[in-house]
Amino acid sequence: MSRSGAIKPALVLTAHGSKDPRSGANSRAVADQVVCLRPNLDVRLAFLEHSSPSLADVLTSVDGPAVVTPLLLANAYHARVDIPAQIANCVTNQQVWQAPVLGEDDRMVAVLRRRVTELGVSPRDDSVGVLVVAIGTSDLAVNARTGRVAPKLLAGTSWAGATTAFATQQERSLSEALGRLRRQRAQRVVVAPWFLAPGRIPDRVERFAAKAGIEMAAPLGADRLVAETVLDRFTATAAGQIAA
């Protein structure tokens, strides 16, 4: 119960889901991090496809209101269409709200920058170019928002440049982005994967990097800052709905 006497909503952390077990393991690790940060919060993990439990099953098991909090980086199809449809199909009198995606939050970008420096890259090395690779979508406006990650990543560094490519487009997208960094006189190029977890698409990007002879950083993973961003999205949504 909250101070006002209202029942606290459950946080239903909703991931995409994957046939790759590494992806599900990372989602569970993020959920565990959220629980560590807020031990008194009812945290449930759900998946949209490929993995279980499903979002419908989790919402059915929640006795009370819930905030579906996407473990997604982009406000693309799954956030705008899939999640609302699944909520509508399984909810009757239950109060269920949807929080925004994680997006280009400064904390998420900070994790990405740290992943790059974990390769032994100094923030003051002006010979470094960073190739940010995201999944991408057919929605150009969503891709444009993802494109903001690269310039934010450069903040506070001396790196030669950063640019964005999308893994779901033709491999040409990655090659062209690599070429842009070379033209900016980047002597050392590293791939910064804008992915939450390992999986089939990140593996494809890793094969590209190996073929091109460049290093690839680790995905964002179950970092504390990822969990903090999840909680921020949940808290803001819950507070707004309860106040309304």
Side-chain angles (χ1 to χ4, degrees), residues 8 24 41 57 73 76 100 118 131 145 172 188 204 213:
K8 289 182 179 180
L41 181 63
D57 287 344
L73 292 173
E118 285 170 353
L131 174 52
R145 287 190 61 88
R172 182 183 62 188
R188 179 185 182 185
R204 189 195 315 160

Side-chain angles (χ1 to χ4, degrees), residues 1 24 31 35-36 49 55 64-65 68 72-73 75 83 119 123 137 184 198 207:
M1 301 284 285
V35 171
C36 287
E49 55 186 47
L55 177 57
V68 175
L72 301 170
L73 292 173
N75 190 37
I83 290 178
L119 293 174
T137 172
Q184 293 174 11
R207 288 193 293 272

Side-chain angles (χ1 to χ4, degrees), residues 205-234:
V205 177
E206 189 170 16
R207 288 193 293 272
F208 166 84
K211 186 177 178 180
I214 58 180
E215 297 170 277
M216 177 168 163
L220 301 173
D223 193 272
R224 180 187 176 93
L225 290 179
V226 175
E228 287 182 4
T229 308
V230 167
L231 276 172
D232 179 75
R233 300 293 183 267
F234 163 82

Side-chain angles (χ1 to χ4, degrees), residues 142-233:
V142 173
N143 287 345
R145 287 190 61 88
T146 302
R148 299 176 186 177
V149 172
K152 292 179 77 169
L153 187 65
L154 286 177
T157 77
S158 302
W159 295 336
T163 191
T164 304
F166 298 101
T168 50
Q169 297 177 2
Q170 297 295 323
E171 185 173 305
R172 182 183 62 188
S173 173
L174 301 177
S175 299
E176 289 178 347
L178 177 58
R180 285 196 297 273
L181 290 171
R182 297 294 192 200
R183 289 191 293 274
Q184 293 174 11
R185 298 185 180 180
Q187 298 172 27
R188 179 185 182 185
V189 176
V190 297
V191 173
W194 188 239
F195 299 111
L196 285 163
R200 295 184 177 186
I201 296 178
D203 284 352
R204 189 195 315 160
V205 177
E206 189 170 16
R207 288 193 293 272
F208 166 84
K211 186 177 178 180
I214 58 180
E215 297 170 277
M216 177 168 163
L220 301 173
D223 193 272
R224 180 187 176 93
L225 290 179
V226 175
E228 287 182 4
T229 308
V230 167
L231 276 172
D232 179 75
R233 300 293 183 267

Side-chain angles (χ1 to χ4, degrees), residues 55-80:
L55 177 57
D57 287 344
V58 171
L59 288 176
T60 301
S61 72
V62 173
D63 184 18
V67 176
V68 175
T69 309
L71 187 59
L72 301 170
L73 292 173
N75 190 37
Y77 173 83
H78 291 292
R80 291 186 289 106

Side-chain angles (χ1 to χ4, degrees), residues 19-92:
K19 294 179 180 178
D20 190 316
R22 295 173 296 173
S23 179
N26 185 76
S27 299
R28 286 187 285 274
V30 174
D32 289 344
Q33 281 274 18
V34 174
V35 171
C36 287
L37 292 173
R38 291 279 296 276
N40 296 324
L41 181 63
D42 183 4
V43 179
R44 313 284 184 97
L45 177 63
F47 297 94
L48 296 172
E49 55 186 47
H50 300 306
S51 307
S52 61
S54 69
L55 177 57
D57 287 344
V58 171
L59 288 176
T60 301
S61 72
V62 173
D63 184 18
V67 176
V68 175
T69 309
L71 187 59
L72 301 170
L73 292 173
N75 190 37
Y77 173 83
H78 291 292
R80 291 186 289 106
V81 178
D82 197 8
I83 290 178
Q86 292 196 35
I87 292 174
N89 287 338
C90 69
V91 171
T92 53

